[in-house]
Amino acid sequence: MRPWLSLLVILPALPLSGCCSLARFWCGPDKTPWVQQRFDTPLATARTLLEAIRRDDPEVVYLCLSDGYRRRLGIDSMTAVLAWQRIREQNPGLHVAGYANVPAPRRTGDDRATVAVEVEGLTIELDFERQAYWEVRYVSGDGVQLEQGGTTNFAARALVAADPAHPGADDATTRVVVGPLVLVHDPEAPIAVDALDHVALTRRWKVSDLRVR
């Protein structure tokens, strides 16, 4: 778990800011507005990460990291939870770092972005990468909701082409075709269209690196 610990050890190193931080430590349940868990923009991902730190949620911290960053750190969802427990026990009040304001990230490419977050005199630089996912949720014949999906190549799943049919001379239409999304299931339990609750091809921004300056 050493690489994961090295990622999070910067958080307890942040100095607490006197009375304000002390008040937050003793104030009881958090009454501030909830930040929705989102990864559709770099800013949303950064806010989700800080919210997870503030609310002591290692599983969401793990969700904020890109697949490549997880591999470099040598972690999975189980080791992330265990490492977070150690960090939390050694550093009460860690959640205070989650109150930092996040400025607008700067796009450095179609699938890349970066942002610098000021926290108690230190600068934390977050790099982001955009990853593609496919998702299908459906209800089985016995009423159980199931889900399949994973990372994918967006360009291999989506086709954008001009649509010859358009409503008027001043308008143009473009056709976006998504698929195929292949599901693996019991041949004795076919999947009907009415059983589908959610079918999506999407992109999410994840943290690909973290640096402290």
Side-chain angles (χ1 to χ4, degrees):
M1 292 190 292
R2 186 178 301 275
W4 175 242
L5 292 172
S6 67
L7 169 66
L8 293 180
V9 75
I10 61 101
L11 297 175
L14 302 176
L16 301 182
S17 57
C19 294
C20 182
S21 298
L22 185 61
R24 286 173 178 165
F25 185 81
W26 294 106
C27 67
D30 196 330
K31 302 297 185 180
T32 57
W34 177 263
V35 174
Q36 183 180 4
Q37 181 178 316
R38 289 173 47 199
F39 304 99
D40 52 320
T41 67
L43 180 59
T45 300
R47 287 174 172 170
T48 300
L49 174 64
L50 293 180
E51 180 79 354
I53 293 171
R54 183 161 64 92
R55 296 188 183 271
D56 191 28
D57 194 332
E59 294 181 356
V60 176
V61 171
Y62 177 78
L63 290 177
C64 292
L65 308 182
S66 71
D67 291 347
Y69 200 17
R70 293 172 186 172
R71 287 192 295 269
R72 295 201 307 275
L73 294 170
I75 63 171
D76 55 26
S77 58
M78 181 59 68
T79 56
V81 172
L82 294 175
W84 184 267
Q85 291 175 348
R86 289 181 56 188
I87 290 289
R88 183 186 58 197
E89 291 169 358
Q90 295 171 4
N91 301 276
L94 175 61
H95 61 282
V96 173
Y99 287 89
N101 292 321
V102 184
R106 177 174 58 89
R107 294 286 288 264
T108 58
D110 290 339
D111 297 319
R112 300 284 176 178
T114 186
V115 68
V117 181
E118 301 293 334
V119 185
E120 302 291 353
L122 296 179
T123 300
I124 300 177
E125 295 181 352
L126 297 173
D127 290 341
F128 305 89
E129 66 175 300
R130 189 170 61 164
Q131 295 185 288
Y133 299 84
W134 69 276
E135 304 167 337
V136 176
R137 291 197 301 270
Y138 61 97
V139 180
S140 66
D142 54 0
V144 177
Q145 187 173 67
L146 303 174
E147 181 173 353
Q148 296 189 39
T151 56
T152 187
N153 183 323
F154 199 92
R157 301 282 187 177
L159 173 65
V160 177
D163 190 337
H166 55 84
D170 296 332
D171 298 310
T173 58
T174 298
R175 179 177 299 174
V176 179
V177 180
V178 176
L181 306 179
V182 180
L183 303 179
V184 178
H185 60 92
D186 186 341
E188 301 298 325
I191 301 174
V193 171
D194 289 343
L196 299 174
D197 285 333
H198 173 79
V199 178
L201 177 66
T202 186
R203 280 172 165 154
R204 298 176 187 151
W205 289 90
K206 298 298 184 76
V207 176
S208 61
D209 199 6
L210 183 153
R211 298 174 302 278
V212 178
R213 304 197 186 282

